């Protein structure tokens, strides 16, 4: 099975980083968050990826083109024929296809552009800016049992701001990361049948506001409930939290 990753958006809420690079290339622990996402899938035996590039997509292509340079010890033979010798190659068994899906395409449009690379098979699909400790194998099995065209991972995010527990004017307790409102939201990490792509018409098609509601209305959208860790990287605050977890050695998404 292949995994398709959306990696073409502008990332405007993280503009301090994304004016120089696409959002999936913003680093956590010295590695692009895109790398972390691929590592999650690879842990479950999925090693073929189709990356939907857009804004500054050439930087994603350059990263993978120079992957050995980023991850291995190298010697540059500049005195002879100017070639690079790679020592103790540290790389994953990945096959990565990078597709230019347009600078201004919407999420559904980007997915529609990669149809030729999917071989008419079921595939995983997610956003290039969020990590989780989702059990991908269980997610895929849940999708297969449902018999539906699509499955999304449903998550319950915590509250964003600290909460005060009051009695009159007295603060009894302060909860830094309060529970959310118990609503389930779309957490990405989809599994899709290729027939879903027949619903996509043109680059302006939105996956979230057009295709997902259609699937739900038609009774073709299953939910895999994930109660573990899930964190998108929408803001610098989000990136800082992910960085702190990684630096402390407590990153829940590090399944490998």
């Amino acid at each position: 099975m292949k995994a398709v990753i959306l990696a073409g958006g502008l990332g405007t809420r993280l503009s301090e980083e994304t004016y120089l690079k696409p959002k999936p290339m913003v680093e956590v622990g010295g590695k692009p968050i895109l790398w972390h996402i691929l590592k999650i899938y690879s842990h479950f035996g999925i090693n073929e990826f189709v990356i939907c590039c857009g804004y500054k997509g050439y930087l994603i292509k350059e990263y993978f083109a120079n992957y050995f340079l980023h991850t291995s010890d190298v010697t540059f033979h500049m005195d002879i024929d100017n070639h690079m010798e790679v020592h103790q190659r540290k790389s994953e068994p990945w096959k990565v296809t990078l597709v230019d899906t347009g600078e201004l395409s919407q999420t559904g449009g980007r997915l529609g552009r990669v149809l030729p690379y999917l071989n008419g098979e079921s595939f995983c699909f997610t956003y290039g800016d969020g990590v989780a400790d989702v059990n991908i194998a269980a997610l895929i099995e849940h999708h297969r049992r449902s018999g539906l065209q699509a499955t999304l991972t449903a998550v319950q995010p915590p509250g964003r701001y600290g909460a005060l527990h009051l009695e009159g004017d007295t603060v009894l307790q302060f909860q830094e990361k309060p529970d959310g409102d118990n609503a389930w939201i779309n957490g990405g990490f989809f599994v899709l049948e290729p027939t879903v792509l027949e619903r996509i018409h043109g680059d302006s098609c939105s996956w979230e506001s057009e295709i997902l509601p259609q699937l739900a209305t038609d009774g073709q959208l299953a939910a895999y409930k994930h109660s573990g860790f899930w964190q998108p990287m929408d803001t610098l605050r989000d990136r800082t939290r992910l960085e702190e977890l990684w630096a402390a050695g407590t990153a829940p998404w590090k399944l490998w």
Side-chain angles (χ1 to χ4, degrees):
M1 184 177 282
K2 297 180 180 179
V4 177
I5 317 292
L6 285 174
L10 297 177
T12 53
R13 285 185 290 176
L14 201 61
S15 59
E16 295 91 341
E17 292 268 4
T18 55
Y19 79 98
L20 290 174
K21 63 184 73 170
K23 191 176 179 184
M25 294 303 294
V26 174
E27 294 186 353
V28 173
K31 300 283 190 181
I33 193 167
L34 178 62
W35 177 89
H36 292 263
I37 295 167
L38 268 57
K39 289 288 282 186
I40 293 169
Y41 279 104
S42 187
H43 176 73
F44 292 97
I46 295 176
N47 292 303
E48 288 196 48
F49 302 97
V50 180
I51 312 296
C52 302
C53 300
Y55 172 71
K56 294 187 182 296
Y58 64 91
L59 292 174
I60 301 177
K61 293 179 181 179
E62 288 177 358
Y63 175 77
F64 285 105
N66 297 305
Y67 194 77
F68 284 132
L69 187 61
H70 290 288
T71 60
S72 305
D73 299 330
V74 297
T75 297
F76 292 98
H77 292 271
M78 302 173 68
D79 55 337
I80 306 175
D81 54 3
N82 196 30
H83 77 275
M84 182 178 76
E85 179 183 359
V86 179
H87 307 284
Q88 299 176 344
R89 298 190 173 196
K90 303 169 186 175
S91 66
E92 288 72 24
W94 295 344
K95 178 180 178 181
V96 182
T97 300
L98 300 158
V99 183
D100 181 1
T101 59
E103 184 112 346
L104 301 177
S105 298
Q106 298 299 307
T107 47
R110 294 190 189 284
L111 178 58
R113 288 251 200 142
V114 303
L115 174 61
Y117 302 95
L118 298 177
N119 303 326
E121 301 171 348
S122 305
F123 62 97
C124 293
F125 174 51
T126 198
Y127 304 106
D129 61 357
V131 290
D133 57 354
V134 176
N135 185 323
I136 302 297
L139 166 63
I140 293 170
E141 180 59 28
H142 182 85
H143 171 75
R144 288 172 173 163
R145 287 200 310 269
S146 77
L148 303 183
Q149 291 184 21
T151 298
L152 61 73
T153 297
V155 298
Q156 292 177 299
R160 189 166 184 83
Y161 301 101
L164 301 179
H165 296 263
L166 303 176
E167 184 174 294
D169 294 333
T170 303
V171 178
L172 299 182
Q173 184 182 9
F174 179 83
Q175 189 175 358
E176 184 177 356
K177 295 178 181 178
D179 297 332
D181 58 7
N182 295 318
W184 292 94
I185 69 166
N186 167 24
F189 292 94
F190 305 92
V191 184
L192 307 178
E193 296 302 312
T195 52
V196 169
L197 278 70
E198 297 172 6
R199 299 170 179 266
I200 298 172
H201 302 287
D203 289 346
S204 63
C205 178
S206 167
W207 173 251
E208 296 78 16
S209 63
E210 295 180 55
I211 305 304
L212 287 179
Q214 285 180 18
L215 288 164
T217 298
D218 294 344
Q220 288 295 324
L221 182 60
Y224 174 78
K225 292 181 178 178
H226 174 64
S227 299
F229 178 85
W230 173 82
Q231 178 67 59
M233 189 179 63
D234 290 330
T235 65
L236 278 177
R237 174 178 175 171
D238 295 333
R239 180 186 176 276
T240 299
R241 184 188 180 210
L242 293 173
E243 188 72 51
E244 288 172 349
L245 289 170
W246 185 267
T250 58
W253 71 90
K254 189 178 185 298
L255 304 173
W256 57 93

